[in-house]
């Protein structure tokens, strides 16, 4: 009996551990009522261009938001690691660009806008497909080219879509002017919506991007241009490929902000600030998110010929977006280690179930090849590879 009382008294007293980010981790057995419902955190100051004031230097996070962000970032991370595994097993084929390391960008942006707003990105699109409303099951099945995929198995890694999400675009930089077109529609309809148009540091030197800056500024379009600067484009460091690495200033006459893209709260507050700028009728704004990808540019790139393994490991140990959020929540009594482990286990199970579906679901039949050309139209005939081959397109 005495031993039992001793054990229970130890459970009642929280153990304080020291995390690798210097925060104190509180580990104890307690009810959810004991957790802190919200906390305010200092965040890194952003760099400004043509702006007198920027986003706030603090961010308030509720426990519910923190758990949601943690789960979403873990889901993206685990989903991408499973995609890596399936690619190496030759179950996923073709182009495949993974997003692990950059999770705070997608989750933070989504936290600063609404699902009624619009978003378009390049080919590193799996994370955005999830945050925009796609399911892990649909994404994994699309990667393996199955009927249950989010694009019916006909889009693959680079071409996934959901409501108000326009891909997933395979041509470098081509999504940026398309995003301006979506923003023009928002302004024309007067619906108080905006478009987020994303591109990478490798695409930032494209002429079509500067043409889009000009048109968007002239027409004061509600568009947030976001450069996800992951430092290396396809495999060339920004210092070697860009005469100016201050991408947030590239809009010249367009206001810009440079943000820590590894901190989900920094990204969220910056996105809220940018969205308010657009909705107030001031026109476009440019954001540069300084982030980092752990994998190579694509699965064909080992990712260590232009950077060292030690550099990658240093970023993982000092700036990992998931670890940063986890430490904040634990050190402020917003969650327990056991609770976060339960989320990790649930996420792994969801990924494994989705991978099982993605490897057993049937491939789309040849008859579906020409379907879904138009969103809402009567069936019509499409000529096949030869004049005597006929296919039918249905919406």
């Amino acid at each position: 009996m005495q031993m039992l009382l001793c054990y229970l008294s130890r459970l009642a007293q929280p153990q304080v551990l020291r995390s690798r980010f210097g925060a104190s981790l509180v580990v104890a057995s307690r009810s959810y009522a004991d957790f802190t419902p919200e906390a305010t955190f200092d965040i890194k100051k952003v760099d400004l261009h043509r702006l007198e004031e920027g986003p706030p230097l603090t961010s308030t996070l509720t426990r519910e938001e923190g758990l949601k962000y943690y789960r979403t970032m873990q889901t993206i991370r685990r989903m991408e690691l499973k995609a890596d595994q399936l690619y190496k097993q030759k179950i996923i084929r073709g182009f495949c660009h993974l997003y692990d390391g950059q999770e705070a960008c997608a989750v933070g942006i989504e936290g600063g806008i609404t699902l009624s707003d619009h978003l378009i990105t390049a080919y590193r699109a799996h994370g955005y497909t999830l945050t925009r409303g796609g399911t892990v099951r649909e994404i994994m099945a699309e990667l393996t080219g199955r009927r249950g995929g989010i694009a019916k198995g006909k889009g693959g890694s680079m071409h996934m879509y959901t409501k108000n999400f326009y891909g997933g675009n395979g041509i470098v930089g081509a999504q940026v002017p398309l995003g301006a077109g979506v923003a023009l529609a928002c302004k024309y309809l007067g619906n108080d919506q905006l478009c987020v148009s994303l591109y990478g540091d490798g695409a930032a030197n494209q002429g079509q991007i500067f043409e889009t800056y000009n048109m968007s500024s002239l027409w004061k379009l509600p568009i947030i241009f976001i450069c996800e600067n992951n430092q290396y484009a396809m495999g060339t460091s920004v210092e070697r490929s860009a005469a100016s690495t201050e991408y947030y200033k590239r809009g010249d006459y367009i206001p810009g902000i440079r943000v820590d893209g590894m901190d989900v709260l920094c990204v969220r507050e910056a996105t809220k600030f940018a969205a308010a700028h657009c909705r107030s009728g001031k026109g476009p704004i440019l954001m540069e998110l300084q982030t980092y990808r752990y994998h190579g540019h694509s699965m064909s790139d080992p990712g260590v010929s232009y950077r060292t393994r030690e550099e990658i490991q240093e970023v993982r140990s000092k700036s990992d977006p998931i670890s940063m959020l986890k430490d904040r929540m634990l050190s402020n009594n917003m969650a327990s280690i056991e609770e976060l482990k339960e989320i990790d286990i649930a996420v792994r199970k969801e990924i494994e179930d989705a991978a099982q579906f993605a490897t057993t679901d049937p491939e789309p039949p040849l008859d579906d090849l020409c379907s879904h050309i138009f969103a809402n139209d009567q069936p019509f005939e499409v000529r096949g590879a030869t004049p005597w081959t006929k296919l039918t397109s249905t919406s």
Side-chain angles (χ1 to χ4, degrees):
M1 185 67 178
Q2 186 176 4
M3 290 179 64
L4 176 61
L5 290 173
C6 180
Y7 175 71
L8 291 173
S9 67
R10 288 180 60 192
L11 283 181
Q13 297 175 0
Q15 292 179 297
V16 180
L17 304 178
R18 185 65 57 181
S19 79
R20 57 181 169 173
F21 286 94
S24 299
L25 310 186
V26 181
V27 185
S29 177
R30 53 191 184 272
S31 69
Y32 291 146
D34 296 331
F35 290 120
T36 304
E38 70 175 37
T40 300
F41 301 93
D42 293 332
I43 55 176
K44 189 176 178 181
K45 184 179 180 180
V46 307
D47 297 312
L48 304 177
H49 171 66
R50 288 187 176 271
L51 289 166
E52 293 183 1
E53 294 183 0
L57 299 180
T58 61
S59 179
T60 299
L61 178 72
T62 67
R63 170 177 148 79
E64 183 180 358
E65 289 171 339
L67 293 174
K68 177 184 174 183
Y69 297 163
Y70 180 81
R71 186 185 186 104
T72 306
M73 288 199 288
Q74 275 288 28
T75 302
I76 295 172
R77 176 72 56 87
R78 292 292 168 184
M79 181 173 68
E80 298 297 61
L81 294 178
K82 176 56 72 172
D84 170 276
Q85 181 184 340
L86 294 178
Y87 196 96
K88 289 171 179 174
Q89 294 172 356
K90 299 185 178 180
I91 296 172
I92 296 174
R93 295 175 177 269
F95 292 107
C96 187
H97 305 81
L98 302 182
Y99 200 66
D100 51 318
Q102 299 184 212
E103 297 90 352
C105 297
V107 176
I109 289 169
E110 208 62 66
I113 58 174
T114 70
L115 285 174
S116 63
D117 291 316
H118 308 263
L119 190 145
I120 188 168
T121 189
Y123 36 75
R124 202 178 303 280
H126 308 162
Y128 289 103
T129 307
L130 183 73
T131 60
R132 288 267 93 189
T135 66
V136 177
R137 185 182 172 105
E138 291 172 325
I139 295 167
M140 296 301 295
E142 191 59 42
L143 288 172
T144 58
R146 307 304 172 109
R147 289 183 76 170
I150 200 160
K152 314 294 186 186
K154 296 188 288 184
S157 171
M158 299 193 294
H159 303 101
M160 300 184 185
Y161 311 92
T162 65
K163 184 175 174 60
N164 296 335
F165 174 57
Y166 307 89
N169 292 266
I171 305 300
V172 176
Q175 72 279 3
V176 179
L178 296 180
V182 175
L184 176 61
C186 293
K187 182 170 184 177
Y188 182 81
L189 294 170
N191 54 20
D192 200 36
Q193 296 172 4
L194 58 83
C195 183
V196 174
S197 190
L198 293 123
Y199 56 96
D201 51 288
N205 299 318
Q206 291 247 332
Q208 60 185 325
I209 292 178
F210 291 90
E211 293 178 56
T212 307
Y213 288 164
N214 184 58
M215 294 176 69
S216 300
S217 186
L218 283 171
W219 296 344
K220 292 193 179 302
L221 299 184
I223 183 169
I224 307 174
F225 296 107
I226 299 185
C227 175
E228 287 184 285
N229 177 8
N230 60 23
Q231 317 298 328
Y232 289 102
M234 286 183 67
T236 305
S237 67
V238 293
E239 291 79 14
R240 294 179 58 212
S241 63
S244 169
T245 58
E246 294 181 314
Y247 295 101
Y248 72 111
K249 294 182 179 180
R250 289 287 190 93
D252 187 14
Y253 38 79
I254 296 176
I257 53 178
R258 182 165 59 189
V259 183
D260 180 0
M262 303 299 277
D263 183 347
V264 67
L265 297 185
C266 277
V267 177
R268 185 186 71 172
E269 297 306 322
T271 305
K272 286 181 179 178
F273 174 85
H277 175 96
C278 289
R279 295 193 213 278
S280 67
K282 296 177 182 177
I285 189 169
L286 202 160
M287 285 173 57
E288 175 189 347
L289 303 182
Q290 293 186 309
T291 185
Y292 199 86
R293 55 172 166 78
Y294 294 155
H295 267 85
H297 171 71
S298 69
M299 285 301 297
S300 62
D301 168 24
V304 290
S305 59
Y306 47 84
R307 58 183 183 175
T308 64
R309 296 183 189 277
E310 289 74 22
E311 177 186 307
I312 301 169
Q313 186 54 42
E314 183 178 10
V315 175
R316 282 182 179 274
S317 63
K318 293 182 178 180
S319 305
D320 183 77
I322 298 175
S323 298
M324 192 183 301
L325 176 63
K326 179 180 180 179
D327 272 27
R328 276 174 168 159
M329 294 190 70
L330 292 174
S331 62
N332 284 270
N333 193 32
M334 299 180 77
S336 68
I337 288 180
E338 293 80 10
E339 185 178 19
L340 297 182
K341 281 182 178 178
E342 286 176 7
I343 293 175
D344 295 345
I345 292 168
V347 166
R348 287 193 184 98
K349 185 180 186 306
E350 183 182 11
I351 301 300
E352 290 302 324
D353 290 347
Q356 178 67 23
F357 173 74
T359 54
T360 56
D361 192 48
E363 295 180 353
L366 182 62
D367 291 345
D368 282 357
L369 181 64
C370 295
S371 293
H372 312 111
I373 294 174
F374 296 104
N376 188 17
D377 205 353
Q378 295 296 317
F380 61 94
E381 198 173 76
V382 179
R383 200 192 91 165
T386 60
W388 54 86
T389 305
K390 303 295 182 182
L391 296 167
T392 302
S393 177
T394 59
S395 297

